[in-house]
């Protein structure tokens, strides 16, 4: 699939260094599309939105990367 502006994807959060919060998938909206699968995202968190301008793609859930949501 090809990323495009407005598509819903998953962003894998980093979690905290001490392990209080584990990495987990967050819903995100693609805001810009760059080269090589790098996109800008508006990440939807329970406490607000987070904007990231250069997020690389990963086939599997990898902290700091985006991936397509699984079909369920």
């Amino acid at each position: 699939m090809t990323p495009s502006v407005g598509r819903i994807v998953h962003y894998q959060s980093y979690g905290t260094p001490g392990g209080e919060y584990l990495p987990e998938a967050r819903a995100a909206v693609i805001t810009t599309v760059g080269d090589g699968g790098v996109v800008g995202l508006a990440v939807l968190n329970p406490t607000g939105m987070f904007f990231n301008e250069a997020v690389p793609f990963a086939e599997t859930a990898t902290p700091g990367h985006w991936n397509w949501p699984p079909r369920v």
Side-chain angles (χ1 to χ4, degrees):
M1 293 196 301
T2 303
S4 60
V5 172
R7 296 289 302 269
I8 302 294
V9 297
H10 280 180
Y11 171 78
Q12 187 72 20
S13 68
Y14 283 101
T16 54
E20 299 88 359
Y21 297 98
L22 297 175
E24 62 181 308
R26 299 286 188 205
V29 179
I30 295 177
T31 58
T32 60
V33 177
D35 295 329
V38 174
V39 300
L41 295 176
V43 181
L44 309 174
N45 290 301
T47 57
M49 291 178 63
F50 167 74
F51 297 92
N52 195 329
E53 294 180 351
V55 183
F57 173 77
E59 193 67 41
T60 60
T62 305
H65 291 67
W66 73 273
N67 61 286
W68 296 107
R71 297 213 180 246
V72 292

